[in-house]
Structures are given as C-alpha cells and as structure tokens.
Amino acid sequence: QKEVEQNSGPLSVPEGAIASLNCTYSDRGSQSFFWYRQYSGKSPELIMSIYSNGDKEDGRFTAQLNKASQYVSLLIRDSQPSDSATYLCAVNPPMFSGGYNKLIFGAGTRLAVHP
Amino acid sequence: NAGVMQNPRHLVRRRGQEARLRCSPMKGHSHVYWYRQLPEEGLKFMVYLQKENIIDESGMPKERFSAEFPKEGPSILRIQQVVRGDSAAYFCASSPPQGARHEKLFFGSGTQLSVL
C-alpha cells in the first residue's frame, strides 16, 4: 500500500463546476496535510494546508480532513481553465524526534477544466 | 516559492559525468530539503539539511549521491558518474527554523537533469 494515494486522473470538469480531488494516507499518526498545485514543467506551489478535522476554506478552495477515515480532499469551486494542473497531496508523518518535516507526496491528480 | 533559487534550470550530462545542482533557500530559512520527481510521479524525499549538517539522508541513494549545505553559500546536490536513470527534475525546498511541526515547504523552480 502506498503511503499517500491519489487517483491519477485526468479529472475533467466543465468551467464553473466544482472539482473534487481526493487523497488517502496510510499512517494514522500523520499530523499535517498539504495540497500543492503543479503546472506542467513548473515547481509545486502550496495552495492549502490543514491540520485539524473538518473544513478549511480559502477563496475558491476548501480542504477537508477526516483523520478517522484517513482521507483529505480538496474542493475547487467555480473551476477555471487556469486551474488545470496536477494537484499533489502531501502528508507529514508523525514528527520525528528531530522535530522536522519530511513530506510524503502522492503521485498527483491531473485536473482539466474545459471551457 | 520565488524566493528559493535553484540553478541551473536545465543540466545536460553524459553518462559518467558529474552533476552539481545548487539551491539558495529563501531569506531567513535555514532548512533545506531536496526532492526528486520522475515523470508522472510525485516528489520523493532525498535529503534534509541544516547549515553544515545533514539531518536525514534516508531518501538518497547510498552511492554516487551527496549533499551539503555549507555555512556560507548555497546547498549543493552532487551526483557522481551519472546514469540515465538519474534523469529527473530535482527540486529544492526551504522552510523557516521555527515551528517545525507545521512548517510549510517552499519550492524552487527545480533543475531538470538530462543524462545522455
């Protein structure tokens, strides 16, 4: 079982619709969760972080975390063609004694928003 | 992420040559991470460094790969005797020194290494 799993897609949604991206993780002790957006040939860009169960909203983005079920999701409302990218889910495993973060990334979900 | 500087942007090497990838973290950041990304795959952790110290190199191959973060100057990822399988995008990320539990990583633009 992969540590962080995502559906590779592509997920195709029409412009203006809600895009729903999902991610599951294997380490129950994981503490923090991140969504990165990566355009083709570019670097990952942090768009959301979430640490507690429930929803966290930032503009058109909503991150949802359910630690009991070990999944985290990202909703993108009013999807735009410019949202077309690969979305990477990243999980921070239980904190090491050294107190640093070592993110475990999923392989990413490709999102295609068509006009 | 524009503050994390990586160079070169593209690096072409022939098999057996050495590759040196450089990373300057964001101002005020003292933690540097190196990740490797193969096509259609997520980022894989390689090494975590603080100034003058390698903290965790568990993701780095034992042979041919090394990393450093000197007191002065950028962090260097060095790959000796490159092979075609080393072809990948190598990303550097930095984070601030405090709040380790929830610190966020900010990525540089990456170095695309191509081995001929």
Side-chain angles (χ1 to χ4, degrees):
Chain A
Q1 182 188 6
K2 291 183 180 178
E3 293 178 272
V4 178
E5 293 207 59
Q6 295 181 254
N7 188 321
S8 62
L11 173 65
S12 183
V13 299
E15 184 174 358
I18 296 175
S20 178
L21 305 161
N22 300 311
C23 170
T24 58
Y25 59 94
S26 60
D27 194 329
R28 185 171 290 277
S30 299
Q31 299 290 329
S32 19
F33 308 86
F34 305 89
W35 283 100
Y36 284 80
R37 177 177 62 198
Q38 186 175 28
Y39 293 109
S40 181
K42 302 296 185 181
S43 62
E45 174 191 10
L46 179 66
I47 54 173
M48 287 290 284
S49 59
I50 187 166
Y51 312 115
S52 305
N53 279 328
D55 295 359
K56 179 182 177 183
E57 187 174 318
D58 184 0
R60 295 187 297 112
F61 298 101
T62 298
Q64 299 174 318
L65 174 61
N66 184 323
K67 289 186 178 181
S69 300
Q70 295 176 238
Y71 84 77
V72 57
S73 61
L74 179 70
L75 301 178
I76 306 175
R77 290 181 299 282
D78 187 25
S79 296
Q80 302 297 311
S82 59
D83 295 326
S84 298
T86 296
Y87 288 80
L88 302 169
C89 173
V91 174
N92 175 31
M95 191 167 68
F96 297 91
S97 58
Y100 61 94
N101 284 356
K102 183 167 76 176
L103 296 185
I104 309 299
F105 282 84
T109 297
R110 279 189 296 137
L111 172 66
V113 181
H114 52 86
Chain B
N1 64 352
V4 180
M5 304 300 293
Q6 285 189 253
N7 67 82
R9 188 75 175 88
H10 300 277
L11 182 61
V12 179
R13 286 289 178 266
R14 296 189 182 279
R15 282 180 296 170
Q17 290 185 321
E18 179 181 284
R20 282 188 177 232
L21 290 63
R22 297 175 188 79
C23 169
S24 296
M26 287 180 69
K27 186 176 181 180
H29 286 192
S30 58
H31 299 196
V32 166
Y33 300 74
W34 285 93
Y35 283 79
R36 177 165 64 177
Q37 187 175 37
L38 295 169
E40 307 301 321
E41 293 188 15
L43 291 93
K44 304 296 184 187
F45 168 83
M46 297 182 73
V47 61
Y48 163 60
L49 310 100
Q50 296 179 12
K51 280 286 186 181
E52 299 186 278
N53 285 301
I54 298 174
I55 307 301
D56 182 342
E57 56 183 347
S58 60
M60 201 154 66
K62 295 289 188 288
E63 298 180 353
R64 302 189 298 109
F65 285 73
S66 62
E68 63 176 8
F69 190 14
K71 185 177 180 180
E72 302 290 338
S75 175
I76 305 289
L77 179 66
R78 182 183 178 201
I79 311 172
Q80 294 178 291
Q81 299 176 326
V82 297
V83 301
R84 289 210 172 114
D86 297 331
S87 296
Y90 291 83
F91 289 98
C92 168
S94 71
S95 65
Q98 64 272 3
R101 181 181 177 185
H102 295 309
E103 62 186 276
K104 301 168 186 175
L105 297 184
F106 297 89
F107 285 85
S109 55
T111 293
Q112 181 64 52
L113 172 64
S114 298
V115 180
L116 304 179

